[in-house]
Amino acid sequence: MTDSPLTHFDSAGQAHMVDVGAKQETARVARAAGTITMQPATLALIREGTAKKGDVLGIARLAAIQASKRTGDLIPLCHPIALTRVAADFVIDETQHAVHCEVTAECFGRTGVEMEALTAASVGLLTIYDMCKAVDRGMRIDNIRLLEKKGGKSGHWQAD
């Protein structure tokens, strides 16, 4: 196991939190995205702001930001990170009857913010589902993925 590329396992194959103490602090940025697809009438409720529970996208934005700050509590081996910025943007797509979510998370630290961005995108989309499930239980969350990460020893990575 000592040659394993999986950093969350020690030489005995046991799960552990990676020691980032010797890493250099750098500016870190990650962008993640996902989509929720729904019935046209559900999308109209979101667009028009007439959903029974209120401003769906506004609440989803707050949920995404809050989730990013709680990632270390949700993902067992993630380090708690002092985030410096989180932005969650939602775009209504009329042709696909969908809402696209993109989150940018930033920090200055010893480990990346990919999990924070991914968690935020996931929870933002789940919040849309929660707020609209009374009218559309068939909504589908898809394509949650990392778009880009910058900073640290591994440098810049961008999805194709």
Side-chain angles (χ1 to χ4, degrees):
M1 288 294 300
T2 56
D3 294 330
S4 174
L6 300 175
T7 58
H8 286 87
F9 294 96
D10 64 16
S11 59
Q14 301 297 311
H16 72 105
M17 186 180 231
V18 174
D19 181 0
V20 297
K23 286 184 163 186
Q24 186 169 353
E25 289 189 340
T26 63
R28 313 278 185 142
V29 179
R31 289 187 313 113
T35 299
I36 185 166
T37 307
M38 62 200 66
Q39 295 175 7
T42 308
L43 188 64
L45 289 173
I46 293 171
R47 182 186 60 252
E48 295 162 11
T50 56
K52 205 171 199 176
K53 291 187 178 181
D55 178 9
V56 173
L57 299 183
I59 293 169
R61 183 175 295 104
L62 292 175
I65 293 167
Q66 183 176 348
S68 71
K69 298 188 292 183
R70 300 297 303 240
T71 301
D73 294 331
L74 298 169
I75 310 294
L77 300 177
C78 277
H79 293 83
I81 293 178
L83 293 164
T84 57
R85 176 177 174 265
V86 177
D89 297 311
F90 295 88
V91 176
I92 292 175
D93 182 338
E94 297 287 349
T95 58
Q96 293 184 3
H97 312 295
V99 176
H100 304 289
C101 172
E102 184 174 313
V103 174
T104 302
E106 299 181 20
C107 78
F108 189 82
R110 290 184 162 99
T111 190
V113 289
E114 297 96 293
M115 294 307 300
E116 286 70 16
L118 286 161
T119 299
S122 300
V123 170
L125 295 168
L126 285 167
T127 300
I128 293 171
Y129 186 95
D130 179 55
M131 293 188 71
C132 298
K133 69 181 182 257
V135 296
D136 188 355
R137 294 202 193 284
M139 289 177 284
R140 190 180 69 243
I141 296 172
D142 289 305
N143 211 14
I144 296 171
R145 67 212 179 276
L146 184 66
L147 299 174
E148 181 178 24
K149 61 102 26 214
K150 297 179 189 175
K153 189 171 82 172
S154 62
H156 185 217
W157 176 88
Q158 194 163 7
D160 294 333

